[in-house]
Amino acid sequence: MDMISLAHAAVVPVILANLALLASSRLVTCIRLVALQGAVISVTPLIFESGPLTVHTAVLCAVALGLKGVVFPQLLHRTLRRVVVRHEIEPYLGYPLSILLGILGLLASLWLAGRLGVPAASYRSFAAAFATILTGLLLIVTRKKAFTQVMGYLAAENGIFLLTAVLAPGGPLFIELAILLDVFVAVFVMGIAIHHINRQFDCIDTDRFCSLKD
Amino acid sequence: MTARALSVVLPLLMAPLAFAVIHRVKARFAGRQGKPLMQIYRDIRKCLGKGATLSRTTTWLFRAGPTINLAATLAALSFVPLGGLPAAVSFPGDIFVFAYLLAMGRFFTIMAALDTGSSFEGMGASREAVYSCLAEPMLFLALLALARHSGDLSLSGMLAAVSAGSWLTGAPVLALVTVALFLILLAENCRVPFDDPTTHLELTMIHEVMVLDHGGPDFAFIEYAQTLKLWIFAAVATSLLLPAASGSLVWDALWGLAGVFAAAAAVGVTESVMARLRLTRVPPLLAAAGAFAALALILVGG
């Protein structure tokens, strides 16, 4: 397989995971989907790197795979177990409409890739990356639970990771590792925050924050 | 010439057998022996030998429905290649004739169902119309992706353009289209999870409830057309998955047959491992098929 078809093979599960994320109604499914998407995305630097495999890329992929594929889902599952909530996602926006918006986001990303003059080899990967970021933002905005907002944040981070892999292959290792560390800390802190919100208010609906008074 | 004839004659003879394979796979999954593979041929022959009872409220439409449906399905069959064997008829743009011949057959089945004046059949007709409205654009999306991929607008041409080599370069596109076509196969042929062909509760039936009032030769036509339709979709989906180009007539035919029977077995397995979806969950599943096809179109285009 040449590079372009490999890139295609990586792009397809990413886009399908985006649509499935918007369509799934269960938190556990969401965690698995984000983990799967993260695992696929964390090996993409290997595809986009020109020339032979370097230690730099190998380390980055291994760390990203470990974090996105194993550690994050574990942390999220643990948080989900501790916070006893209904395991359903409560959307502001219905699922069909969310999927439609997701597809519109993909089309917009394709249009943007065309406008920006992204080279043909990474055209679709760029679009997929941008669509993933948009999906993440959509999840953050349109879902009620604090938990799903973490999912949206992670999906957006997946998109940014893919975007760096596409646009700047072989970027500085320590910056990328630092970002991964930041995300790790963020997921950790958000898990604790959700736990505290839950203990304080008996629910993790971000809706209710509006009615807070001092 | 022989090859073109074979791609029509083989389905005419063996389509009911492919249908029987589904029953056999399902029976084995349930731990039963299953009815004999030839039983469906006997059923059709028995129905052909019977007279038909017609309700007084029906008109000529009721009699014409099954016949037109069978004729349209036969005509659509002539556009479908079998494995490496070319289709009997082929010209640029025949995918539209192909899709609308099937749509015409369905239209007359629906008309015949409405003609009985029974509320049950009207309900089935309404459901069938809704689902086919949803399935048709998905079928076109999948065929369009294939047309873009092969640069050919005839069904034969676009399927012949797929070879083992094109799986190496365009695997994502072909895989997405194959999955979409398999979902459309299940929807168009009223199989689980879209519809349960063996259900006995009129409220949950879709296709079966439309043909409740047909009997005798009419019912034989309906059954036979149904097996042919399954064959058509199975042949299209599997010639993508198992491209054949051995050049030898016998091997191509055998390879094509193996593909169709494998698809039938896959339908049997699908039906055994999952339940029918709630009616409201069906459109999202068809939308998923459409998403697969649209994604393939995006990947192949440009």
Side-chain angles (χ1 to χ4, degrees), chain A residues 68-124:
Chain A
K68 288 173 189 287
V70 183
V71 180
F72 289 170
Q74 292 279 330
L75 278 175
L76 290 169
H77 275 301
R78 205 184 59 174
T79 314
L80 194 61
R81 267 200 306 276
R82 287 202 314 203
V83 182
V84 185
V85 287
R86 290 177 59 221
H87 285 208
E88 282 161 31
I89 293 166
E90 294 149 32
Y92 289 116
L93 217 58
Y95 300 113
L97 199 56
S98 309
I99 296 173
L100 198 65
L101 279 176
I103 292 173
L104 281 181
L106 181 61
L107 290 178
S109 318
L110 281 166
W111 175 79
L112 187 70
R115 276 300 293 268
L116 290 179
V118 180
S122 49
Y123 178 77
R124 294 187 184 80

Side-chain angles (χ1 to χ4, degrees), chain B residues 43 109 180:
Chain B
D43 287 347
T109 310

Side-chain angles (χ1 to χ4, degrees), chain B residues 167-183:
Chain B
W167 272 93
L168 282 181
T169 53
V173 173
L174 291 177
L176 284 171
V177 173
T178 311
V179 173
L181 280 177
F182 187 69
L183 284 175

Side-chain angles (χ1 to χ4, degrees), chain B residues 24 27 34 37-38 42 64 72 83 97 102 110 124 149 152 163 175 188 195 238 240 254 284 289:
Chain B
R24 178 56 65 91
L37 286 174
M38 291 297 140
R42 292 189 201 120
V97 184
L102 290 176
I110 291 175
H149 178 262
D152 201 322
S163 63
E188 288 272 345
D195 183 10
T238 51
L240 284 181
L254 280 179

Side-chain angles (χ1 to χ4, degrees), chain A residues 53-199:
Chain A
L53 177 68
T54 55
V55 182
H56 163 171
T57 319
V59 169
L60 177 66
C61 289
V63 173
L65 190 62
L67 274 182
K68 288 173 189 287
V70 183
V71 180
F72 289 170
Q74 292 279 330
L75 278 175
L76 290 169
H77 275 301
R78 205 184 59 174
T79 314
L80 194 61
R81 267 200 306 276
R82 287 202 314 203
V83 182
V84 185
V85 287
R86 290 177 59 221
H87 285 208
E88 282 161 31
I89 293 166
E90 294 149 32
Y92 289 116
L93 217 58
Y95 300 113
L97 199 56
S98 309
I99 296 173
L100 198 65
L101 279 176
I103 292 173
L104 281 181
L106 181 61
L107 290 178
S109 318
L110 281 166
W111 175 79
L112 187 70
R115 276 300 293 268
L116 290 179
V118 180
S122 49
Y123 178 77
R124 294 187 184 80
S125 317
F126 175 87
F130 206 75
T132 312
I133 298 176
L134 290 180
T135 306
L137 297 181
L138 193 66
L139 278 180
I140 294 176
V141 174
T142 60
R143 301 290 190 258
K144 255 180 208 173
K145 286 204 172 98
F147 209 88
T148 10
Q149 302 190 343
V150 182
M151 307 272 92
Y153 170 73
L154 279 178
E157 205 281 325
N158 280 345
I160 293 169
F161 190 89
L162 184 57
L163 207 59
T164 4
V166 174
L167 292 183
L173 175 64
F174 70 92
I175 294 187
E176 287 170 19
L177 287 179
I179 293 174
L180 277 176
L181 186 68
D182 281 352
V183 177
F184 173 66
V185 172
V187 172
F188 206 72
V189 170
M190 281 191 278
I192 297 169
I194 291 176
H195 184 61
H196 279 286
I197 294 172
N198 187 51
R199 218 173 44 191

